[in-house]
Amino acid sequence: MGRARRNSDCTAGGSRPVVRSHRPRRVEGAEQAFVIGVLTNAADFARARAWGISDAPDHERYLADTADLLAEALERFDTVRARTFHPQDFEEFCLLNGLDPAEPAARDRYLVNPALQTQLLAYQGEELAGDFVPRLVRARENGLTLCHADLLLDGGLYGGAGASDEEHAAWVRAAYERGGEVFRRMLVGAGAGVYELRLRVDAPGGGLTAAARVLQWEDGVVRINDEDLELVCAVLCTGLALELPGVAVLHGSQGSAASCGEYLPASWAWSSGGQEWAPADRPVRLDGVAAQPGYSLGTVC
């Protein structure tokens, strides 16, 4: 379940945050990606107006303009991606690189900064103000965690300094696969249902946390957002690779329509001393969710 190094494809001319007069243009003869930053709340929109990012009168109109721009980009570009345009992150980026935040080039550089590629989400026509904006917010938070994990692993997750060392890369890849297998066994043991996984691994520089919502059908098919799966596996990988202690809680409703629509509340807890995950030795409360010790992952095929 190892991940290949992620390559940046943020090459389209449409990488500037939304300005209503801006329209995406496709360069013929080459695969092009359209990348956009989205101000996800009214406070960020108000803070960014001084930089001339949008001429919309308010955040609601801004989101409507952004939705129109994304719809047009889907028709013209091979790939459309979005990420949160976070004013504080942007100001810090400009300060670090000696850029003027009012210059469009500064915004373009911020959006395609390789260190922030983990925050990008593919856009496929979802309702912007519905589930997609909350996903953008979570993707930023997830991306910060992924950067922390990658730093702890000396670049082993996303091709940093440690990636040139084949032995190091193999070590990280093996830990990633072990982490993915731990998560798979948690879900297989839970069976059909609607769940949320909460995960915390104690790490230098602050704990690594992850959360993922999971829908699992009777036939074992699982629905989970790609970015949430990536985060869970990365946090598990880091904990196993560096032998860091952690705790995980899987909770929700167990059951399915095939069982006459009967759903039962369920919650399980596991802990790790660093080398492997096992049922917690006592009841656990994580992020306000209480759980009893879970089933043995070693008995799950």
Side-chain angles (χ1 to χ4, degrees):
M1 199 170 178
R3 295 264 179 165
R5 178 180 177 181
R6 184 178 305 194
N7 294 319
S8 172
D9 58 359
C10 306
T11 55
S15 57
R16 185 184 307 178
V18 177
V19 177
R20 191 172 183 181
S21 61
H22 177 71
R23 286 291 178 265
R25 292 182 295 277
R26 190 182 193 282
V27 178
E28 296 298 333
E31 181 173 327
Q32 294 290 307
F34 178 81
V35 181
I36 190 170
V38 179
L39 295 158
T40 57
N41 60 66
D44 285 354
F45 172 78
R47 186 173 176 180
R49 293 198 70 176
W51 302 321
I53 285 179
S54 173
D55 56 5
D58 52 42
H59 187 247
E60 183 177 356
R61 181 67 249 177
Y62 163 82
L63 285 181
D65 290 347
T66 304
D68 291 343
L69 186 60
L70 284 167
E72 184 176 346
L74 282 175
E75 296 178 356
R76 295 173 177 247
F77 289 84
D78 302 293
T79 303
V80 178
R81 294 174 181 249
R83 59 180 293 267
T84 296
F85 190 95
H86 195 275
Q88 182 176 341
D89 292 354
F90 177 57
E91 285 184 327
E92 292 175 355
F93 177 81
C94 289
L95 182 62
L96 182 64
N97 292 276
L99 302 173
D100 179 357
E103 289 295 324
R107 303 197 288 268
D108 290 346
R109 285 185 58 182
Y110 165 72
L111 288 178
V112 299
N113 179 14
L116 302 178
Q117 297 306 292
T118 55
Q119 299 183 23
L120 284 167
L121 291 183
Y123 179 76
Q124 298 174 321
E126 300 92 332
E127 182 182 351
L128 186 62
D131 181 61
F132 196 69
V133 164
R135 282 183 64 196
L136 288 175
V137 174
R138 292 198 304 273
R140 173 181 175 268
E141 297 169 350
N142 292 359
L144 296 175
T145 300
L146 289 170
C147 285
H148 185 188
D150 191 45
L151 180 64
L152 291 171
L153 295 171
D154 294 328
L157 276 178
Y158 297 110
S164 58
D165 184 337
E166 291 186 6
E167 183 177 352
H168 178 81
W171 169 67
V172 174
R173 186 165 56 249
Y176 196 101
E177 292 172 352
R178 288 172 59 204
E181 180 64 12
V182 166
F183 187 33
R184 187 192 72 82
R185 287 174 180 258
M186 288 177 178
L187 296 181
V188 170
V194 181
Y195 306 105
E196 181 182 35
L197 177 78
R198 292 179 178 267
L199 171 65
R200 185 187 71 218
V201 168
D202 297 333
L208 301 173
T209 61
R213 295 178 181 176
V214 180
L215 173 60
Q216 185 166 214
W217 278 274
E218 300 91 333
D219 58 3
V221 174
V222 172
R223 180 176 180 182
I224 180 174
N225 287 331
D226 288 343
E227 65 270 19
D228 294 336
L229 175 61
E230 179 177 23
L231 181 67
V232 167
C233 290
V235 171
L236 288 169
C237 164
T238 306
L240 292 169
L242 302 178
E243 298 187 0
L244 303 172
V247 61
V249 167
L250 183 67
H251 70 103
S253 298
Q254 185 181 41
S256 66
S259 58
C260 300
E262 182 179 2
Y263 295 89
L264 300 174
S267 60
W268 303 276
W270 296 269
S271 62
S272 173
Q275 296 184 346
E276 61 182 18
W277 285 83
D281 57 7
R282 62 177 64 90
V284 168
R285 180 174 289 273
L286 181 61
D287 296 336
V289 178
Q292 296 296 316
Y295 37 87
S296 173
L297 300 178
T299 62
V300 178
C301 297

